[in-house]
Each structure stands twice: as C-alpha cells, then as structure tokens.
Amino acid sequence: MIMLFDTHTHVNDDKLYEDRKEVISRALQNSVKVILNTGDNFASLERIKKLTEEFPGICYSVFGIHPSFCKEYDAKKLSTYISENINSVLAVGEIGLDYFYEVSEEEKILQKEVFISEIMLAKRYQLPIVVHSRSADEDTFVILNEYAKNMKVDLHCFSGSVEMAERYIKNIPNIMFGIGGVLTFNNAKRLVDVVKKVPLKHLLLETDAPYLSPSPYRGKINEPKSIKIIAEKLSEILGLEFSEIEKATTLNARRFFNL
Ligand code: NI
C-alpha cells in the first residue's frame, strides 16, 4: 500500500476548510494518508484541533504562532493549547522569522523573542519544531544554532542554497528540509541542486496548501493530494523508483514526528 505524508499544510485555511471532506478524500485517493495541519495564529489552532478530531489517524496538529502574528503571541496560552492536546500535537510550528514585507527594527526584535520563546516551549514538551524563514536566513540560522542545536528542526519550504543546507547539517544533526511544489517550477534550479546534494534522509515532503501548487497547477488552490506530484518529481530528479521515494520520505516523517 502506498503511503505518503503531507508534513506541512493548512486544510484549516478558508480556501479548503469548507470542502474539507472532499479535500481529505482526494488526498486519500492519491495515497496521502497523513496530513499535518500547521498553525499560524490562535484562531487557526481551533480549526486544526477540530480537523484532528474529525479525521482521527489522518489529521494531526502542529501548534504554533507564525512570525507575522507575533503581536498576538502569548506563551501561556500556547502552552495550554499544547498541553491540553498533547496526544495529537506532533510539533510546534510554524514558528520563525519573516522579513519579506517591510518590518521595523522593533518588530524584528519581537519576532526573535517570540521565536526563541516558542523554541523553549517545544523543548519543554520535547516536541520537534517546524520553522518558517523568509528573507531572514542569517538570523534564523543564528537563533537555531544557539537554541535548537540538539532538537529536531524542520525548515519548512526550504529555499536556501546547497551551502546553507550543508551548514545546517553540520551544526544541527537532526535538521530536515521541507520540499514542496516549488521543486516542480521551471525556475527551481537552486532547490533541484539542494535535493541532489542533501542526503535523502534529511528530506520531508510538504504542500503548504492552499499555497504553492505544483506545476502545471501553479497559481491554483493547492491541496494535500499534490504530495504525489512532488514525490514523482523528486523520483525523476534523483533517478530513483517512486516506491523508494515513498518509503524514504514516509520513514523520515514517522521518525521526525514520532508517529
Ligand atoms: Ni505554511
């Protein structure tokens, strides 16, 4: 039986939530048997919790506050969310830094404080972290290297260079790189180089749905079922059988998320 994991997605998003039954059923038809819905603000955690209750054994929760929502961060509140759902929360995420849009120095400082606080929370619950880093490569590395050296770290939607990936592997042994629809884009040369150089044991598959639809559906609403397309592309790039990609990435996800 083919089994694929979507290690980072947002079925809780308005674009997918209404049709969640169909979305999940299309995922299952495409061999995507495990779906990790990932938090960004407190409202999202409520829906993610509901999805996990509604689709037991398929949907799991990743709870955290995204850097773009750092102003609503409340360590105590997040800690309560995690402890009350500890059996279905597999990681803390997505957490990190996002300097893509105009961000003041003051907000950068707040983002860093929140990021460190969420890392500490994950440590306390012995959970892996799922990291979002956009236009903030160096600051993200510095914080992870200082506070998360011995943790399981998933760099979701990895967009860095081969050198950056190697630097992470050297410093944070349990580092994983989240690979999604970008791999299928025409201009994905950098990411193609990364998946060729980085050992397969460091790769996780993710859709980040409803965003980042793989080619030829680029720009359309993405769904967890797209993991199959991403896995096919990876198998083509690496010259490996689809079944090898499936087995390796599923094992990686099970090991990383303790599932
Ligand atoms: Ni995401």
Side-chain angles (χ1 to χ4, degrees), residues 1 3 5 9 24 26-27 51 57 95 98 105 108 112 116 121 126 128 144 173 196-197 199 201 204 218 220-221 250:
M1 189 185 73
M3 181 176 199
F5 266 61
T9 194
I24 303 287
R26 282 192 288 268
L51 283 162
I95 64 175
D98 193 325
E105 277 312 306
K108 280 188 186 175
K112 286 183 203 171
I116 294 165
L121 211 54
Q126 292 182 296
L144 290 174
K196 279 183 181 164
K197 292 276 166 56
K201 66 173 183 182
L204 292 172
R218 201 170 171 180
K220 300 230 169 74
I221 294 174
T250 293

Side-chain angles (χ1 to χ4, degrees), residues 5-8 154-160 165 176-184 188 190-196 198-200 202-208 212 214 222 226-231 233-235 237-238 245 249 252:
F5 266 61
D6 187 352
T7 63
H8 185 115
D154 169 17
L155 287 177
H156 130 73
C157 195
F158 184 68
S159 58
M176 299 299 277
F177 304 96
I179 306 298
V182 173
L183 191 65
T184 66
R190 194 147 112 140
L191 190 58
V192 168
D193 285 346
V194 166
V195 300
K196 279 183 181 164
V198 167
L200 189 51
H202 286 286
L203 304 184
L204 292 172
L205 301 183
E206 62 166 66
T207 60
D208 205 16
L212 296 173
N222 198 9
S226 302
I227 286 293
K228 203 174 177 188
I229 299 175
I230 299 160
K233 185 71 189 180
L234 187 58
S235 113
I237 291 169
L238 298 182
I245 298 295
T249 56
N252 292 351

Side-chain angles (χ1 to χ4, degrees), residues 1-108:
M1 189 185 73
I2 305 178
M3 181 176 199
L4 295 164
F5 266 61
D6 187 352
T7 63
H8 185 115
T9 194
H10 308 276
V11 179
N12 54 290
D13 190 282
D14 281 344
K15 292 192 181 76
L16 299 173
Y17 192 68
E18 291 254 304
D19 301 324
R20 58 194 179 279
K21 284 207 175 81
E22 290 74 24
V23 168
I24 303 287
S25 132
R26 282 192 288 268
L28 295 173
Q29 282 160 26
N30 284 277
S31 310
V32 181
K33 306 284 168 65
V34 182
I35 293 168
L36 272 57
N37 290 303
T38 308
D40 45 32
N41 56 24
F42 279 110
S44 74
L45 304 190
E46 277 302 319
R47 275 196 182 172
I48 290 171
K49 200 175 126 181
K50 280 192 195 134
L51 283 162
T52 296
E53 285 161 4
E54 206 176 330
F55 304 97
I58 301 168
C59 286
Y60 291 89
S61 307
V62 175
F63 279 179
I65 303 300
H66 185 286
S68 300
F69 295 97
C70 60
K71 284 181 185 132
E72 69 169 72
Y73 179 69
D74 177 339
K76 220 171 154 189
K77 193 171 167 185
L78 181 59
S79 176
T80 305
Y81 263 103
I82 295 170
S83 64
E84 283 177 352
N85 300 279
I86 197 68
N87 292 324
S88 55
V89 175
L90 301 187
V92 173
E94 52 188 294
I95 64 175
L97 303 172
D98 193 325
Y99 303 161
F100 185 71
Y101 301 102
E102 195 74 9
V103 176
S104 66
E105 277 312 306
E106 206 181 20
E107 187 176 330
K108 280 188 186 175

